[in-house]
Amino acid sequence: MSAANQARRAARAAWRYVRRAPGTFIWLAILFVTTLILRHVSPGFADGILEKRSTNIHYLSQSPVRVLISSALWIAGGGWFFYFVLYNVFHVPTERWLGTLRWLGVVLVAHVGATYLSEGVLLWAINHGHAPESARYTLDYGVSYALAGVEAVVCYLIVSPWRYVYLAGLLFFYGSALWSGRTFTDVGHFTAVLLGLACYPLTRGRSTAGVGGPFDPVATVRRLWRRLRT
């Protein structure tokens, strides 16, 4: 087979992969653009961009819909490629499994719910003297709440008993961060996990054929081992 034919086959395979999770890859494309923007402007200008798109207490009271949407279009640390990998591990199979609308429902529940609860905790801390008044304007943006919610709903795609092992690891990871950090973002991440688990009704009756059936880590390792030996 010629190199040109191989390239065409690879391109068709990549397109089939992308179009089965359109929401995830549109989101990744937007994140790629916004990440480039931040890299090519001065730090002060970047802070100004992010400040106006932050879901802090001030902007949630002024223009909640605008900042809830715009805050999810920027990456808060980790780099774009890091999130590209995580999106392919968690968002892609979830969108294929639930369908784009239900996947988007999980994303919105986790992002919006965790944002309001975490900022509510921060507001309580301000009102009771545990945080300064300036915390009303703290930067709060990024995609991690939505990602945590999707990571949680993936539990229902894993076969037992491994689903409970995965769930215990997920709760330990975010729970230990909450215990040690106790910041409003730690509250948000743990809340997003709980909200993702609460999205179980969205998973009922969904076929797993589009993702190759329920995920069995042991069977997957065995298949990979057989392929490596042949």
Side-chain angles (χ1 to χ4, degrees):
M1 183 181 295
S2 68
N5 287 335
Q6 288 180 336
R8 282 193 290 269
R9 288 187 62 181
R12 286 195 294 268
W15 173 242
R16 285 195 299 269
Y17 180 81
V18 168
R19 71 182 183 184
R20 291 174 62 195
T24 296
F25 286 101
I26 290 172
W27 197 0
L28 277 171
I30 294 171
L31 292 174
F32 182 76
V33 173
T34 57
T35 299
L36 284 181
I37 291 172
L38 292 182
R39 287 184 179 179
H40 289 84
V41 298
S42 66
F45 192 74
D47 288 344
I49 292 174
L50 296 174
E51 189 272 333
K52 292 180 181 179
R53 289 154 180 81
S54 176
T55 49
N56 55 37
I57 295 170
H58 171 71
Y59 281 119
L60 279 176
S61 64
Q62 298 294 320
S63 50
V65 175
R66 179 183 66 81
V67 293
L68 283 167
I69 294 173
S70 62
S71 66
L73 305 179
W74 305 82
I75 292 174
W80 182 84
F81 185 74
F82 174 73
Y83 280 99
F84 176 82
V85 173
L86 290 179
Y87 270 47
N88 277 272
V89 172
F90 295 104
H91 280 291
V92 167
T94 302
E95 186 177 0
R96 290 179 177 178
W97 169 40
L98 297 181
T100 299
L101 288 180
R102 293 191 184 204
W103 161 79
L104 185 58
V106 175
V107 166
L108 289 174
V109 166
H111 177 64
V112 175
T115 295
Y116 270 104
L117 195 143
S118 61
E119 292 294 339
V121 169
L122 181 59
L123 179 60
W124 180 91
I126 293 170
N127 291 338
H128 288 80
H130 302 299
E133 187 66 25
S134 61
R136 293 178 183 270
Y137 303 92
T138 301
L139 288 180
D140 185 21
Y141 65 95
V143 300
S144 57
Y145 292 166
L147 179 60
V150 169
E151 288 171 348
V153 84
V154 164
C155 284
Y156 305 120
L157 188 57
I158 303 172
V159 299
S160 299
W162 306 113
R163 120 178 356 169
Y164 304 109
V165 175
Y166 172 84
L167 176 59
L170 195 67
L171 291 174
F172 175 78
F173 178 79
Y174 286 106
S176 60
L178 175 60
W179 179 259
S180 60
R182 301 182 185 182
T183 66
F184 75 94
T185 53
D186 295 321
V187 172
H189 287 126
F190 194 78
T191 300
V193 170
L194 298 182
L195 290 170
L197 293 173
C199 288
Y200 171 72
L202 293 177
T203 72
R204 296 184 64 180
R206 301 301 299 175
S207 171
T208 59
V211 289
F215 178 66
D216 185 338
V218 173
T220 300
V221 170
R222 286 174 178 170
R223 285 196 300 270
L224 291 173
W225 176 247
R226 285 197 297 268
R227 289 178 183 176
L228 289 173
R229 293 183 63 185
T230 56

